[in-house]
């Protein structure tokens, strides 16, 4: 027997399960199985473990997955509105590695807030300074505060973790500017929790985001499918429609993964990319203090109604945010086809009408038609000519874990990706802090946890 064969028998490939086929899980699978992972592995450890991805849904992608509402659509559309920023370096690096960078195109769409019956663009310094609903002195104060947060050389987010965004912004911007331009956005995103949200989260949004956006030819599903094929080429086994019911410690070491309708399988390592609430149910063997950390994490859900129209609703607006006092029953109106050519969707003009809501909100029980009945009358506020006959289709998508809530002191609340159970890792949107949830940070998190798994 050759020395190489002897080494293979002495160090058989690690068996790794990844629960969740979203961007975090796929990125981790890519790093765990690519040849370049070998230099970071311990001496004698095989370069490529045997990796299996278990995805509950019928397709890969998680919250970034897409759907084709009609046969006439050339491209699928995301269940929940998605785009990238030009500052999303983790995603751009991955795209270069997998040969998909050319599919990403750049856009400069218009965004605005809708208040007092009109749209006011606030996506540039010039537009902020011209905003007529805030006195000029307060506009200057607001501009200086945003400049301070965006260009602060020290990136002091750990200090900001100790401050409430609501109190700090109101103090330094002034109550009129804060109420007119920012308070409603915190209220809309975090509901009753908005006064608890810390300044580090707000700083990260201002610091990292760009006015130019990027989107994939073929939508995000095209990127996900490309990455899925890449990891399969690297030997990863993918199971869709696979509902993991439990992860348990084995008496002799390692972990057992129980999947509905399948015999239990044994693994050396398991990475779970589900939400914190589901993680507590999947891994009951976790110590009480770690389970307590998971249970203490708060989050908001999301309900998004996608509407197809036979013509434009607005002439030029891509994203419009709404203060709750306007009486409009959704937080954001995103006219996707004011950025992406409607020819890719059979000529349909596509709107997202979305909101972040507590997981027990009644909207989670409504059908697309019922939500359309509630939402459609308000579309005339954006175009007085709107008529219900313009609607040619409507689809609803819901996620009860969509937006983590980061209160003061959140940095100390985040559970470690390496759980106390040997070989069990956990990676969720709650751990990308101080950054906001998004596919760029899902890539970053997937790469980080894969490095930890390789090192172990």
């Amino acid at each position: 027997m050759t020395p190489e064969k002897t080494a293979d028998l002495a160090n058989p490939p690690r068996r790794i399960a990844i629960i969740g086929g979203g961007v975090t899980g796929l990125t981790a699978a890519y790093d765990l199985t690519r040849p370049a992972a070998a230099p970071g592995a311990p001496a004698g450890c095989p370069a490529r473990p045997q990796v299996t991805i278990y995805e509950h849904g019928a397709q890969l992608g998680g919250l970034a997955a897409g759907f084709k509402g009609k046969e006439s659509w050339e491209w699928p559309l995301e269940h929940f509105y998605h785009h990238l920023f030009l500052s999303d370096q983790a995603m751009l690096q991955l795209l270069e590695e997998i040969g998909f960078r050319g599919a990403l195109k750049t856009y400069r769409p218009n965004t605005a807030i809708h208040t007092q019956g009109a749209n006011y663009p606030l996506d540039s310094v010039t537009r902020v300074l011209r905003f007529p609903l805030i006195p000029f002195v307060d506009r200057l104060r607001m501009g200086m505060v945003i400049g301070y947060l965006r260009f602060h050389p020290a990136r002091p987010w750990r200090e900001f973790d100790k401050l409430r965004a609501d109190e700090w912004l109101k103090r330094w911007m002034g109550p009129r500017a804060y109420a007119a331009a920012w308070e409603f956005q915190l209220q809309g995103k975090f509901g009753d929790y908005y006064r608890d949200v810390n300044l580090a989260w707000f700083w990260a949004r201002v610091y990292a985001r760009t006015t130019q956006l990027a989107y994939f030819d073929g939508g995000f599903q095209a990127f996900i499918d490309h990455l899925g094929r890449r990891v399969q080429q690297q030997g990863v086994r993918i199971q869709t429609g696979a509902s993991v019911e439990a992860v348990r410690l084995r008496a002799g070491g390692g972990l057992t993964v129980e999947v509905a309708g399948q015999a239990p399988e044994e693994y050396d390592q398991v990475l779970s990319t589900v939400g914190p609430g589901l993680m507590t149910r999947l891994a009951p063997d976790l110590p009480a203090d770690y389970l307590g950390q998971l249970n203490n994490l708060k989050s908001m859900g999301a309900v998004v109604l996608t509407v197809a129209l036979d013509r434009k609703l607005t002439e030029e607006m891509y994203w419009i945010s709404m203060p709750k006092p306007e009486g409009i029953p959704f937080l954001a109106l995103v006219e996707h086809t004011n950025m992406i050519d409607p020819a890719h969707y059979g000529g349909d003009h596509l709107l997202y009408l979305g909101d972040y809501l507590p997981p027990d909100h009644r909207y989670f029980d409504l059908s697309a038609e019922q939500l359309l009945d509630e939402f459609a009358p308000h579309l005339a506020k954006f175009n007085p000519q709107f008529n219900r006959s313009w609607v040619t289709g409507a689809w609803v998508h819901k996620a009860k874990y969509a937006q983590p809530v980061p209160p003061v002191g959140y940095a100390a609340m985040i559970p470690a990706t390496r759980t106390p159970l040997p070989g069990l890792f956990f990676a969720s949107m709650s751990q990308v802090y101080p950054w906001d949830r998004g596919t760029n940070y899902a890539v970053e998190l997937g790469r980080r946890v894969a490095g930890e798994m390789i090192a172990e």
Side-chain angles (χ1 to χ4, degrees):
M1 183 177 290
T2 65
E4 290 80 3
K5 292 294 184 183
T6 303
D8 288 345
L9 292 174
N11 296 291
R14 285 172 300 150
R15 302 191 73 239
I16 297 176
I18 296 177
I19 304 171
V23 175
T24 298
L26 286 169
T27 303
Y30 167 75
D31 270 9
L32 287 166
T33 57
R34 65 190 177 118
C45 181
R48 295 198 191 193
Q50 296 175 352
V51 176
T52 299
I53 294 176
Y54 295 105
E55 167 55 40
H56 173 75
Q59 64 188 47
L60 298 172
L63 290 177
F67 73 104
K68 281 192 174 182
K70 300 180 182 180
E71 290 184 4
S72 59
W73 290 9
E74 174 192 6
W75 292 359
L77 180 73
E78 292 71 48
H79 296 162
F80 305 93
Y81 37 83
H82 273 72
H83 52 240
L84 293 168
F85 299 95
L86 299 190
S87 55
D88 287 342
Q89 292 301 312
M91 176 65 82
L92 295 176
Q93 174 63 36
L94 178 62
L95 295 177
E96 291 288 351
E97 292 179 21
I98 66 174
F100 206 64
R101 179 67 176 83
L104 195 66
K105 300 298 189 297
T106 303
Y107 303 88
R108 178 59 173 87
N110 292 309
T111 62
I113 64 171
H114 182 87
T115 184
Q116 298 185 23
N119 295 329
Y120 294 94
L122 290 179
D123 51 6
S124 71
V125 174
T126 302
R127 286 174 163 176
V128 168
L129 292 176
R130 291 177 179 171
F131 187 36
L133 302 184
I134 303 175
F136 183 71
V137 172
D138 290 331
R139 279 179 258 162
L140 288 177
R141 285 180 65 179
M142 182 169 68
M144 292 173 66
V145 168
I146 296 300
Y148 166 78
L149 293 173
R150 183 168 179 79
F151 300 108
H152 196 296
R155 298 176 63 178
W157 72 266
R158 292 191 181 277
E159 289 301 315
F160 292 161
D161 177 78
K162 305 171 186 176
L163 303 172
R164 285 184 172 82
D166 177 71
E167 294 175 357
W168 192 92
L169 294 170
K170 188 181 298 182
R171 175 184 177 187
W172 292 105
M173 285 185 179
R176 290 176 295 189
Y178 171 60
W182 298 104
E183 184 176 27
F184 78 90
Q185 297 193 52
L186 286 167
Q187 288 175 329
K189 204 170 187 73
F190 297 108
D192 293 341
Y193 298 119
Y194 89 94
R195 288 193 175 91
D196 300 326
V197 172
N198 69 57
L199 186 62
W201 177 87
F202 186 88
W203 164 82
R205 287 173 62 89
V206 171
Y207 181 84
R209 297 191 169 190
T210 60
T211 53
Q212 283 190 300
L213 306 179
Y215 190 80
F216 293 106
D217 286 349
F220 275 70
Q221 192 67 53
F223 155 67
I224 290 160
D225 291 344
H226 182 89
L227 182 55
R229 289 190 294 269
R230 181 61 176 265
V231 300
Q232 284 180 309
Q233 291 167 5
Q234 294 177 183
V236 175
R237 181 175 59 136
I238 295 176
Q239 291 190 29
T240 55
S243 181
V244 175
E245 296 181 330
V247 180
R248 303 185 186 278
L249 276 177
R250 291 171 54 207
L255 299 145
T256 298
V257 174
E258 299 175 6
V259 181
Q262 299 184 25
E265 291 204 44
E266 298 176 352
Y267 292 95
D268 301 298
Q269 292 177 315
V270 175
L271 167 61
S272 175
T273 66
V274 302
L278 180 53
M279 183 65 175
T280 64
R281 299 191 292 276
L282 290 183
D285 294 334
L286 283 167
D289 56 349
Y290 194 88
L291 288 171
Q293 281 186 289
L294 295 174
N295 285 321
N296 285 335
L297 298 176
K298 303 292 190 295
S299 63
M300 299 289 286
V303 174
V304 174
L305 181 71
T306 304
V307 181
L309 304 180
D310 63 7
R311 69 202 76 183
K312 285 187 174 187
L313 182 71
T314 70
E315 275 305 311
E316 58 180 14
M317 289 297 167
Y318 166 64
W319 188 295
I320 305 174
S321 299
M322 269 68 69
K324 291 292 185 184
E326 289 294 311
I328 297 173
F330 42 87
L331 171 67
L333 185 157
V334 182
E335 192 156 359
H336 177 76
T337 44
N338 276 350
M339 183 172 81
I340 305 301
D341 192 334
H344 299 301
Y345 308 98
D348 281 334
H349 295 267
L350 299 176
L351 308 176
Y352 287 111
L353 308 176
D355 206 351
Y356 292 101
L357 300 164
D360 59 355
H361 194 280
R362 69 182 186 87
Y363 280 1
F364 284 96
D365 298 322
L366 299 186
S367 67
E369 222 24 66
Q370 290 170 322
L371 282 170
L372 187 61
D373 288 340
E374 297 210 12
F375 290 178
H378 297 272
L379 296 182
K381 297 176 181 178
F382 305 94
N383 184 337
Q385 303 302 315
F386 171 76
N387 187 287
R388 182 73 174 261
S389 65
W390 295 9
V391 176
T392 65
W395 306 266
V396 65
H397 297 98
K398 307 166 185 177
K400 293 200 172 185
Y401 173 65
Q403 175 62 57
V405 178
V408 168
Y410 188 70
M413 297 171 59
I414 301 172
T417 51
R418 186 195 300 266
T419 79
L421 294 186
L424 179 60
F425 293 77
F426 172 62
S428 75
M429 290 184 293
S430 298
Q431 293 154 304
V432 302
Y433 178 78
W435 314 111
D436 200 12
R437 87 284 176 274
T439 51
N440 177 69
Y441 302 110
V443 168
E444 192 173 83
L445 179 63
R447 306 203 92 157
R448 172 158 56 91
V449 72
E452 294 174 0
M453 296 172 76
I454 292 169
E456 183 182 75

